[in-house]
């Protein structure tokens, strides 16, 4: 399924089914228990920010939700813990492409099966990567940058937020598509240090996920975002073309952020959480907050559509990862 169809017709169908089939688990949530939203990364990152905003927006439907940040193992430790929690709706995982797609494909062993151990709820937002360069690079468009990168591949490097991340995969996919395997990967410990080096010119190119901060740097001329790697232009940055428009039709690298519960959670509870999420995403203020952060809110998502999307991302990224010979660091 094409990514554009995922964010339109397929998810619209999912949203319609959520509305058409109201369901409520009479005993959920249990008044004496707290709902935990497990975020498998440290506080302060994009995933954490989106998770906390979601938790706040679903309060009217689900009550107070406690966000628990559990970093480590590239997200695998907390994801494994969530997979084996009681399947009663009181533990929700805020998973993403790294935890549900990339880590199982890259790492020799993870403490969970992303398909068998979880029931999908819905996708909240998608974050696209961007192909960005320091202003000293003699290219103002991706169409200009591709021949430059090929001609200077042995001297060019790109930075990412770390080995095995979507930002790393975006860079490797770019190298594959333009036929420039010599471009060197420079992994940073998170996006922050890499952005500092991009602004200073220490690294000429990066493939970071687009954020509000990076959009500000682009608009101020401190960096140049040549293209975004989403099927369509971002609502928050319609002036930036897609890599597809620039002639790289397979240059799609997106990080989804979504909700999952342990397998075996009653369907009525799954539906109730999905309905609460669907309602929260209709809030214009929530949509604006996500768009301003460089994210694309997914307004109509459901369990079946999310499951298919995750399966499609696994099928798409696994051969790309194998072709790079990428292993967990």
């Amino acid at each position: 399924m094409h990514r554009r169809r995922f964010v339109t017709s397929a998810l619209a169908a999912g949203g319609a089914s959520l509305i058409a089939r109201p369901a409520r688990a009479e005993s959920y949530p249990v008044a004496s228990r707290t709902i935990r939203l497990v975020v498998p990364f440290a506080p302060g990152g994009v995933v954490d920010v989106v998770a906390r905003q979601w938790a706040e927006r679903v309060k009217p439907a689900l009550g107070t939700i406690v966000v628990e940040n559990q970093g480590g193992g590239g997200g695998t430790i907390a994801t494994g813990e969530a997979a084996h929690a009681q399947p009663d709706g009181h533990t929700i995982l805020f998973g993403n492409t790294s935890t549900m797609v990339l880590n199982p494909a890259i790492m020799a062993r993870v403490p969970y099966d992303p398909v068998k151990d979880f029931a999908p709820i819905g996708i909240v937002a998608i974050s696209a990567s961007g192909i960005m360069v320091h202003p000293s690079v003699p290219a103002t468009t991706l169409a200009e940058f591709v021949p430059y990168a090929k001609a200077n591949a042995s001297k060019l490097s790109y930075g990412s937020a770390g080995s095995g991340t979507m930002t790393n995969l975006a860079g490797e996919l770019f190298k594959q598509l333009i036929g420039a395997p010599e471009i060197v990967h420079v992994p940073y410990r998170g996006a922050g240090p890499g952005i500092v080096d991009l602004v200073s010119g220490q690294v000429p190119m990066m493939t970071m996920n687009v954020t509000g901060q990076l959009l500000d740097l682009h608009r101020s001329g401190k960096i140049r975002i040549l293209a975004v790697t989403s099927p369509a232009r971002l609502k928050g940055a319609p002036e930036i073309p897609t890599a597809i428009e620039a002639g790289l039709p397979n240059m799609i690298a997106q990080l989804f952020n979504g909700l999952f519960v342990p397998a075996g959670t009653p369907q009525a509870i799954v539906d109730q959480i999905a309905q609460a999420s669907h309602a929260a995403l209709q809030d214009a203020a929530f949509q604006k907050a996500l768009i301003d952060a460089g994210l694309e809110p997914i307004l109509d998502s459901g369990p079946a559509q999310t499951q298919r999307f995750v399966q499609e991302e696994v099928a798409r990224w696994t051969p790309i990862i194998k072709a790079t010979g990428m292993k967990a660091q």
Side-chain angles (χ1 to χ4, degrees):
M1 183 187 294
H2 194 282
R3 304 279 78 74
R4 187 188 298 275
R5 290 203 295 273
F6 167 74
V7 296
T8 54
S9 60
L11 281 177
S17 68
L18 290 176
I19 297 170
R21 296 184 295 101
R24 184 174 181 84
E26 293 182 3
S27 60
Y28 177 79
V30 176
S32 60
R33 296 186 59 193
T34 299
I35 297 177
R36 304 163 55 225
L37 182 63
V38 177
V39 178
F41 302 100
V46 173
V47 177
D48 179 55
V49 171
V50 177
R52 290 178 184 277
Q53 291 198 37
W54 180 86
E56 187 64 28
R57 302 287 176 174
V58 297
K59 263 187 180 182
L62 300 178
T64 299
I65 296 177
V66 176
V67 177
E68 294 186 4
N69 295 91
Q70 300 179 35
T76 60
I77 295 174
T79 302
E81 188 273 335
H84 303 296
Q86 279 292 112
D88 56 11
H90 290 82
T91 297
I92 303 172
L93 172 72
F94 203 80
N96 66 7
T97 307
S98 291
T99 59
M100 312 308 284
V101 177
L102 303 185
N103 288 346
I106 295 171
M107 298 181 178
R109 185 176 181 182
V110 294
Y112 58 91
D113 184 309
V115 175
K116 295 179 181 178
D117 291 341
F118 287 100
I121 299 291
I123 291 179
V124 176
I126 287 179
S127 172
S129 296
I131 299 171
M132 52 198 73
V133 297
H134 185 265
S136 63
V137 172
T140 58
T141 67
L142 186 59
E144 294 174 352
F145 181 62
V146 169
Y148 171 84
K150 293 173 70 173
N152 295 275
S154 61
K155 298 181 287 185
L156 192 63
S157 62
Y158 81 91
S160 79
S163 296
T165 63
M166 176 56 71
T167 61
N168 180 191
L169 266 295
E172 294 304 307
L173 178 58
F174 176 74
K175 288 165 56 176
Q176 287 184 26
L177 292 176
I178 70 169
E182 302 89 354
I183 298 175
V184 175
H185 173 221
V186 181
Y188 286 86
R189 291 184 177 274
I195 293 169
V196 170
D197 275 6
L198 178 64
V199 171
S200 68
Q202 294 299 309
V203 63
M205 172 192 175
M206 297 204 82
T207 47
M208 291 297 186
N209 287 97
V210 177
T211 63
Q213 177 194 12
L214 286 169
L215 290 176
D216 288 343
L217 290 171
H218 167 75
R219 288 164 179 157
S220 66
K222 294 179 180 177
I223 67 169
R224 188 179 296 141
I225 302 178
L226 302 178
V228 293
T229 59
S230 50
R233 297 191 183 200
L234 300 181
K235 294 182 179 68
E239 75 277 14
I240 302 175
T242 67
I244 294 172
E245 293 175 83
L248 294 178
N250 295 316
M251 189 64 225
I252 298 175
Q254 303 181 109
L255 190 76
F256 72 76
N257 297 282
L259 305 159
F260 300 82
V261 289
T265 300
Q267 189 61 44
I269 292 177
V270 169
D271 290 343
Q272 188 173 331
I273 300 170
Q275 290 163 13
S277 183
H278 179 269
L281 280 159
Q282 307 315 301
D283 185 332
F286 189 21
Q287 294 175 26
K288 184 177 185 303
L290 292 171
I291 290 169
D292 288 348
L295 296 152
E296 292 291 288
I298 304 302
L299 306 186
D300 293 290
S301 179
Q305 292 73 29
T306 300
Q307 183 176 36
R308 283 200 297 270
F309 181 62
V310 172
Q311 290 171 343
E312 288 164 5
E313 286 292 88
V314 169
R316 190 167 71 89
W317 281 111
T318 299
I320 296 171
I321 291 168
K322 286 182 178 178
T324 67
M326 187 178 295
K327 300 293 183 183
Q329 299 295 308

